[in-house]
Amino acid sequence: MIASLDITAAIRDGRTYLQKSFWQPPFKIADVTEDRRRPTLHLMQMSASPGVLAGDHYQIGIRLEEGAVVHWHTQSYQRLFSMDSPARQHVRVDLAPGASLTYLPHPCVPQAGADFRADNRISLSANSRLIWGEIITCGRKLNGEMFQFSNYRSVTEVFLEGKLILKENLRLLPQRTDPRGIGHFEGFTHQGGLVCIDAQIDIARVIPLLSEALAAIPDIAFGITALPVNGFALRMLGNHSERLMEALKITSEMITNEDILCKPSFRY
């Protein structure tokens, strides 16, 4: 199945609204905003398909106009079914100055024989904020199906004012290399990550505070790296999706707590 989804969000009277939207089956967008008085627009990406199938090709475009604030939700775990041909997903994100996007999707679950290739290209402008998360699991763990997919590749490129500032290339080929070995998952079954780029947060404060908060979550290992621009990359390993999802939520909440993490020059 070939399908596309495109949205543009803008701000009006201090609140973000969906300015333009287009989608093809199986996609659908739902506005799940609860507090209409706040500037953030909460949108949920929904799908009528049970998961990603062989030969699927999805194209997703997200554009936020100046000052728009969007939290992009997913409906459920992304299931990658057994495939005899690869499935592809291309995501393009364009943030205007002062725009903010938070994306913390449900984990991806590749089943035996799945072949999935994702390409994410994110373009940021001055003073825009990005919180971008990802979780990949070993498969249907409770069914005894661990790392039996054929290929999982996710490439994420982040540009700031047209300059490449971050590129992540995650590729898992379990039939060639056991992901549970040394230098890979090292006994863990799930991997999570988050990229935050925000000119307003105080990185010198956020990293130790975040490290302390994440250390309280049992059965995960993590590392936080400061980026060459004002931001950081978080990488985690664990054995339970729920704990990695909790870690992403805690991270996002800390980042957006301006009283704690914003630089003093931005508080007034």
Side-chain angles (χ1 to χ4, degrees):
M1 179 182 296
I2 299 176
S4 63
L5 180 156
D6 286 281
I7 69 108
T8 300
I11 196 160
R12 179 175 57 197
D13 299 328
R15 291 190 289 269
T16 304
Y17 72 102
L18 189 59
Q19 186 181 63
K20 299 178 183 178
S21 63
F22 170 82
W23 60 79
Q24 296 172 308
F27 289 129
K28 185 177 181 181
I29 294 295
D31 184 343
V32 294
T33 307
E34 295 182 357
D35 189 349
R36 302 288 176 176
R37 297 168 298 179
R38 299 184 65 83
T40 304
L41 175 65
H42 290 260
L43 297 174
M44 179 175 289
Q45 176 184 322
M46 306 175 70
S47 176
S49 172
V52 180
L53 306 173
D56 282 354
H57 189 179
Y58 296 156
Q59 297 187 27
I60 299 173
I62 301 171
R63 174 168 176 78
L64 304 189
E65 301 291 357
E66 185 170 356
V69 183
V70 170
H71 192 130
W72 189 265
H73 302 262
T74 54
Q75 180 182 13
S76 60
Y77 283 53
Q78 186 179 46
R79 302 194 177 276
L80 311 178
F81 288 100
S82 299
M83 304 173 187
D84 54 14
S85 60
R88 293 177 170 83
Q89 177 174 283
H90 297 271
V91 178
R92 296 293 180 268
V93 175
D94 188 3
L95 304 187
S100 173
L101 174 67
T102 299
Y103 176 64
L104 303 176
H106 284 79
C108 185
V109 184
Q111 298 185 10
D115 185 346
F116 182 69
R117 305 167 191 189
D119 175 36
N120 308 306
R121 183 183 174 93
I122 304 168
S123 297
L124 308 179
S125 302
N127 295 321
S128 55
R129 177 170 69 188
L130 174 71
I131 302 175
W132 185 272
E134 179 182 36
I135 297 175
I136 172 69
T137 74
C138 62
R140 295 182 293 183
K141 183 178 178 180
L142 297 182
N143 289 354
E145 192 177 279
M146 298 173 58
F147 296 111
Q148 294 182 23
F149 53 92
S150 62
N151 179 38
Y152 179 89
R153 184 173 184 180
S154 176
V155 178
T156 300
E157 295 178 311
V158 182
F159 295 82
L160 178 59
E161 297 288 298
K163 180 181 179 181
L164 180 65
I165 58 172
L166 175 70
K167 182 171 183 176
E168 286 193 336
N169 187 351
L170 172 62
R171 189 174 190 187
L172 299 173
L173 296 167
Q175 311 310 315
R176 296 186 188 178
T177 305
D178 187 351
R180 290 166 288 192
I182 299 297
H184 293 82
F185 284 27
E186 300 196 2
F188 290 99
T189 57
H190 295 52
Q191 177 176 284
L194 181 141
V195 172
C196 171
I197 298 172
D198 184 352
Q200 297 189 26
I201 63 172
D202 189 342
I203 294 298
R205 297 184 64 201
V206 68
I207 291 181
L209 287 173
L210 182 56
S211 296
E212 182 180 355
L214 296 181
I217 302 176
D219 196 31
I220 71 167
F222 66 90
I224 307 172
T225 303
L227 298 177
V229 295
N230 203 65
F232 66 89
L234 166 68
R235 185 65 66 190
M236 302 176 293
L237 295 172
N239 293 306
H240 304 280
S241 297
E242 293 78 8
R243 289 177 181 171
L244 295 184
M245 292 173 68
E246 178 187 358
L248 293 186
K249 181 180 178 182
I250 289 173
T251 303
S252 176
E253 290 176 349
M254 291 189 67
I255 294 168
T256 54
N257 189 333
E258 297 182 357
D259 292 333
I260 297 177
L261 298 178
C262 276
K263 295 179 180 177
S265 60
F266 285 90
R267 288 180 180 170
Y268 306 100

